[in-house]
Amino acid sequence: MINVLVRNENPETKTLLIKCLETAGFEVISKKNSLISFRFADKEFYSTSESQKSSTSRFGFPAIPRLRQVFDFIELNYHQNIGLKEVAQAVGYSSAYLTNLVRRLTGKTVNNWIVERRIAEAKRLLLETDLSIERIAFDIGYQNMNHFYYQFRNYYKNTPGAWRETQRLVACKQLLN
């Protein structure tokens, strides 16, 4: 089962998304508040072997079966304004239980995983595109530029712009040698 959080308050948006999912062969399981749960019509969206090849393994989430839904939800929604509450709601746990479970199994919090996924995508976009830093921050789910800069600095000890420039200089030097 896959969960998607719909942040758009317009009911037509949710209806259109549901129609698109059904047209594409998915079965909508539930529509609670802003959360839509669905699966492929004939089987679970991920089989056990497919789950290890899922988008979560692309980023590097740990392969912990009990947390697969948590990491799948983060992967599908990290670019939105999500936090512990939305993830817990999506997987059917209380926030307190999910916090303890994730910390016990991974050593990190749910919010740490969300931030790490966002920062990894920021890094990719900084390297592979010429998008502005503001656009990248917005696209990966940050509403506050100062918060994005703060978190990026925590990971890379530099601002996103300076980090991008340094990486480009390194790449140029490697090409010249």
Side-chain angles (χ1 to χ4, degrees):
M1 180 172 65
I2 302 296
N3 296 303
V4 174
L5 185 65
V6 180
R7 285 291 195 175
N8 190 324
E9 297 295 324
N10 185 346
E12 293 171 0
T13 302
K14 190 173 180 181
T15 302
L16 179 61
L17 176 60
I18 291 169
K19 283 184 181 181
C20 289
L21 288 169
E22 290 171 342
T23 302
F26 293 94
E27 175 187 358
V28 175
I29 298 166
S30 72
K31 303 172 255 185
K32 292 187 257 179
N33 301 324
S34 304
L35 191 67
I36 299 173
S37 301
F38 62 95
R39 67 179 181 169
F40 198 69
D42 295 329
K43 61 179 182 162
E44 285 293 321
F45 190 71
Y46 293 118
S47 70
T48 306
S49 63
E50 288 172 314
S51 70
Q52 294 176 356
K53 297 176 190 171
S54 75
S55 57
T56 58
S57 64
R58 179 175 46 106
F59 164 65
F61 288 117
I64 301 172
R66 285 184 70 187
L67 299 180
R68 184 175 56 101
Q69 283 187 311
V70 171
F71 295 134
D72 283 348
F73 182 82
I74 292 171
E75 181 63 29
L76 289 170
N77 297 285
Y78 70 86
H79 59 281
Q80 297 186 53
N81 187 20
I82 62 166
L84 171 63
K85 179 181 172 186
E86 289 79 14
V87 177
Q89 179 186 8
V91 298
Y93 293 139
S94 73
S95 296
Y97 178 79
L98 184 60
T99 296
N100 292 333
L101 178 66
V102 171
R103 185 176 290 145
R104 185 169 36 88
L105 295 177
T106 70
K108 298 177 184 176
T109 67
V110 171
N111 285 328
N112 289 144
W113 285 110
I114 294 168
V115 169
E116 283 190 23
R117 182 61 185 101
R118 286 178 175 162
I119 296 299
E121 184 65 7
K123 176 184 164 186
R124 187 189 71 76
L125 292 170
L126 287 165
L127 290 173
E128 297 176 9
T129 72
D130 287 324
L131 292 172
S132 72
I133 294 165
E134 290 78 13
R135 181 79 228 169
I136 290 171
F138 178 75
D139 287 351
I140 62 171
Y142 286 94
Q143 309 300 314
N144 181 314
M145 285 300 299
N146 291 333
H147 191 57
F148 170 62
Y149 273 82
Y150 173 80
Q151 289 186 331
F152 193 91
R153 257 188 242 124
N154 278 345
Y155 281 86
Y156 295 106
K157 309 299 181 219
N158 218 335
T159 66
W163 184 87
R164 175 189 257 174
E165 192 61 34
T166 300
Q167 296 306 308
R168 287 182 176 176
L169 287 173
V170 168
C172 285
K173 286 180 183 179
Q174 289 175 347
L175 287 174
L176 294 173
N177 290 332

